[in-house]
Amino acid sequence: MLKGIPALINADLLYILRSMGHGDVLALVDRNFPAQSVAFDTASGTLVHLDGANIPQAAAAILTLYPLDSFVETPVFRMQVVGEPETLLDVHEDFHAACEAAEGAKVRMGSIERHSFYDRARQAFAVVQTTEDRPYGCFLLTKGVVFEPT
Amino acid sequence: MLKGIPALINADLLYILRSMGHGDVLALVDRNFPAQSVAFDTASGTLVHLDGANIPQAAAAILTLYPLDSFVETPVFRMQVVGEPETLLDVHEDFHAACEAAEGAKVRMGSIERHSFYDRARQAFAVVQTTEDRPYGCFLLTKGVVFEPT
């Protein structure tokens, strides 16, 4: 354990989050996502497991440390429901609320069709898989900048 | 970069600090310390370089995250000056001040003879080497507990 770091953020995840820079993308996914096969293709080749955590828990923990990109219009994307691209599920709303709570500001969330989402996730830096049991609980988060001197 | 994490704490060091548990020991050393040969023998076998940082900078950054052990009388030790075990150098005082500032309390700092220090460092979890140029700027820090829920 470390002071001020959510217990959910294990050493492997900390390593990934700190290794990423501005514009890199993290894939945060549910339990059904083909996380390992997609992760093999990512920049780091890494899948981090957050077993026991759902999407709202994982998002809240990660976003205490991880700045969302303010240089782009749409720093986060959700996976679209197949055949219903406009449908916003509870898991999407929960994730969006976690983003806006962490940023203290409105955050624009885009959406991507399922197979295109897989392609975009393969171009991410790494994949973090929760055990979220609600389908379509899959997101892409573009990393931003820490402006304050630390 | 991550929100609230000192820039000095790189991904490798974050990984080590988060991997450690209660009672594990971190060796934080100056530029002359035989860091790599000692690190080979540590539990993790890892040497992390903090090039460009001195001991006060490294200690202050690490101790924002790393709790010192409150279960033992002496959570930190310094390397003794050869032939002058009682001599407290500026680098020792600077480190001690960083510990007490971070903990917000008195911290007891012990001392260990040079060759015994090497032996103890080999039993540590990992070695972190700064580019501190003052001799005897070598310390052992026992990790404590985070009591607050996170």
Side-chain angles (χ1 to χ4, degrees):
Chain A
M1 292 295 99
L2 292 173
K3 294 190 269 185
I5 309 256
L8 191 55
I9 310 289
N10 60 38
D12 293 317
L13 182 52
L14 260 185
Y15 183 86
I16 288 294
L17 297 179
R18 177 61 178 82
S19 298
M20 296 174 66
H22 187 196
D24 283 334
V25 173
L26 187 70
L28 178 65
V29 303
D30 64 27
R31 64 180 185 174
N32 285 298
F33 190 83
Q36 184 63 74
S37 61
V38 167
F40 284 138
D41 282 344
T42 61
S44 69
T46 303
L47 169 61
V48 177
H49 294 281
L50 288 187
D51 290 349
N54 61 23
I55 284 290
Q57 291 166 333
I62 288 169
L63 292 165
T64 63
L65 300 173
Y66 185 96
L68 292 178
D69 194 0
S70 59
F71 287 52
V72 296
E73 265 197 12
T74 312
V76 296
F77 289 88
R78 63 172 173 87
M79 182 189 280
Q80 291 173 2
V81 177
V82 172
E84 302 177 42
E86 302 301 327
T87 298
L88 208 61
L89 301 175
D90 280 355
V91 68
H92 297 149
E93 290 179 343
D94 288 351
F95 173 80
H96 195 203
C99 292
E100 296 195 332
E103 292 291 311
K106 289 279 171 201
V107 172
R108 186 170 168 156
M109 179 168 69
S111 72
I112 304 175
E113 179 277 331
R114 179 184 155 216
H115 285 98
S116 299
F117 188 99
Y118 294 157
D119 292 340
R120 292 278 288 276
R122 286 192 181 89
Q123 297 166 40
F125 190 89
V127 180
V128 177
Q129 186 165 39
T130 66
T131 47
E132 172 63 60
D133 56 11
R134 293 175 289 179
Y136 301 104
C138 299
F139 304 90
L140 300 174
L141 298 77
T142 304
K143 192 179 185 189
V145 167
V146 171
F147 292 100
E148 302 74 29
T150 51
Chain B
M1 292 297 99
L2 292 173
K3 294 190 270 185
I5 309 258
L8 190 56
I9 309 289
N10 60 39
D12 293 316
L13 182 51
L14 261 186
Y15 182 86
I16 288 293
L17 296 179
R18 178 61 178 82
S19 299
M20 295 173 67
H22 187 197
D24 283 334
V25 173
L26 187 71
L28 177 65
V29 303
D30 64 29
R31 65 180 184 171
N32 285 297
F33 189 84
Q36 185 62 76
S37 62
V38 167
F40 284 137
D41 283 345
T42 60
S44 69
T46 303
L47 169 61
V48 177
H49 294 282
L50 290 186
D51 290 350
N54 59 25
I55 285 290
Q57 290 166 333
I62 289 168
L63 292 166
T64 63
L65 300 173
Y66 185 97
L68 292 177
D69 194 1
S70 59
F71 287 52
V72 296
E73 265 198 10
T74 312
V76 295
F77 288 89
R78 64 174 172 86
M79 183 190 281
Q80 290 174 3
V81 178
V82 172
E84 301 177 43
E86 301 301 327
T87 298
L88 209 62
L89 301 174
D90 280 354
V91 70
H92 297 149
E93 289 178 344
D94 288 352
F95 172 80
H96 195 204
C99 293
E100 296 194 333
E103 292 291 312
K106 289 281 169 197
V107 173
R108 186 169 172 159
M109 177 168 70
S111 72
I112 302 175
E113 179 276 332
R114 180 185 156 216
H115 285 99
S116 299
F117 187 98
Y118 294 156
D119 293 339
R120 292 277 287 275
R122 285 192 182 89
Q123 297 167 39
F125 189 90
V127 179
V128 177
Q129 185 164 41
T130 66
T131 47
E132 172 64 60
D133 56 12
R134 294 175 288 180
Y136 301 105
C138 300
F139 304 91
L140 300 174
L141 298 77
T142 304
K143 192 177 185 190
V145 168
V146 171
F147 292 99
E148 302 73 30
T150 53

